[in-house]
Amino acid sequence: MAPVGDERSLPATIRSAIALYGFAEESETELLSLSENATYRIVDGAGRVAILRVHRTGYHTLEEIASELAWSTALRCDAGIATPRVVPTATPDGSAIRTA
C-alpha cells in the first residue's frame, strides 16, 4: 500500500508502486474502487493477480495501516478465516507498506 496525495497522481503512482511489489510496470491495471482508498486489480503477463490499495495521505497513519494488515493476517493464520494474503514488496526490507 502506498499513500498518494490526490486522484490525479494515481496512474503514475500505480505504475511505480506495482514494480515495488514485483509486478512489471506494463501489467494490466483496473481501478476497482475510489473512496478513502484507491483499489486496483493488477494482472501481470504470467496471469498473476493481486489487489493494490493506495491510501490517501493523512487519512490513516502508517501504524493504523500496519495494524489492519496484522489483524487480517492473524485472522487467516490463527483463526482460519479466509483473508487476502499481504504481499511484501520486492525490496530489501520486504515491507508490505510503502510511502510515495
Side-chain angles (χ1 to χ4, degrees), residues 23-47:
F23 284 82
E25 287 189 27
E26 301 79 29
S27 296
E28 178 185 323
T29 62
E30 175 188 0
L31 178 64
L32 299 176
S33 173
L34 183 59
S35 57
E36 69 271 9
N37 307 304
T39 306
Y40 286 84
R41 180 176 186 260
I42 312 297
V43 182
D44 70 9

Side-chain angles (χ1 to χ4, degrees), residues 40-96:
Y40 286 84
R41 180 176 186 260
I42 312 297
V43 182
D44 70 9
R48 193 170 53 134
V49 178
I51 300 298
L52 177 69
R53 219 171 42 174
V54 181
H55 291 267
R56 292 180 192 226
T57 301
Y59 191 79
H60 288 290
T61 66
L62 290 176
E63 292 80 15
E64 289 169 332
I65 296 167
S67 176
E68 178 186 347
L69 295 177
W71 177 67
S72 177
T73 298
L75 287 174
R76 187 180 71 260
C77 295
D78 299 341
I81 297 172
T83 63
R85 184 177 65 82
V86 176
V87 178
T89 58
T91 59
D93 68 1
S95 173

